[in-house]
Amino acid sequence: MFFLFGKPLSAWASAPHKDYPASLLASTRTSNKNMTITCFIRYEIDPYQREAFKEYAENWGRIIPRCGGRLVGYFLPYEGTNNVAWGLIAFDSLASYEAYRKKLKADAEARKNFETAVAKRIILREERTFVEAVDGAFNVSAAPEGAR
């Protein structure tokens, strides 16, 4: 069964879903003035439907920004484990995530993308975790040659 936000897709289509885990509702302390949370999605995919998942992910490249999320990216297995893929979507706050979810539910292309994934059984399982970047350990470039 395909789940979205911990609910079966059919339930997602008609329910308001304000049941965030308590850990997400607790305030988070960070030195970053514009706290960003990232929804880290781990997918177990059918390895024989890699191309179908790729198309599914590419569709989100149009949908997610339109609905208010900042798409960090979708990632397919390249070498090693062949049935795990990832998606990362960033938000300024949990409030912006909630607004995104409302827009996503109303978006016809988003609904079609979910329905296609269900019909083709592309995604076997999905897990969502919300994370924040560690200051000083995110998006750090390699040091130039000779620099210490």
Side-chain angles (χ1 to χ4, degrees):
M1 176 172 280
F2 185 73
F3 290 88
L4 176 66
F5 308 121
K7 304 286 185 189
L9 182 61
S10 59
W12 172 78
S14 61
H17 300 297
K18 293 188 179 181
D19 53 340
Y20 295 110
S23 61
L24 290 179
L25 296 175
S27 63
T28 302
R29 297 182 70 153
T30 180
S31 62
N32 185 351
K33 288 183 182 180
N34 296 324
M35 183 185 91
T36 299
I37 59 168
T38 301
C39 180
F40 183 97
I41 309 165
R42 181 189 181 276
Y43 298 96
E44 181 182 334
I45 63 171
D46 179 340
Y48 298 104
Q49 296 209 49
R50 185 182 193 281
E51 289 304 310
F53 184 86
K54 182 178 179 182
E55 183 178 334
Y56 170 82
E58 288 172 346
N59 291 339
W60 289 123
R62 292 184 306 277
I63 301 165
I64 290 170
R66 180 173 65 232
C67 292
R70 287 193 318 269
L71 181 59
V72 176
Y74 272 85
F75 303 86
L76 281 166
Y78 177 73
E79 188 174 334
T81 303
N82 68 352
N83 69 334
V84 177
W86 301 269
L88 286 86
I89 309 165
F91 303 92
D92 292 330
S93 65
L94 287 174
S96 63
Y97 172 66
E98 184 175 339
Y100 161 82
R101 286 178 20 152
K102 288 178 184 177
K103 289 178 185 175
L104 196 66
K105 284 195 265 187
D107 189 278
E109 188 179 7
R111 295 180 71 80
K112 182 179 181 205
N113 205 35
F114 282 122
E115 291 166 3
T116 300
V118 171
K120 291 183 177 183
R121 300 184 53 88
I122 297 166
I123 299 166
L124 306 175
R125 182 177 169 185
E126 153 181 336
E127 300 168 355
R128 291 172 185 268
T129 302
F130 289 81
V131 298
E132 65 178 319
V134 175
D135 292 337
F138 177 71
N139 204 21
V140 178
S141 300
E145 286 295 315
R148 291 189 147 196

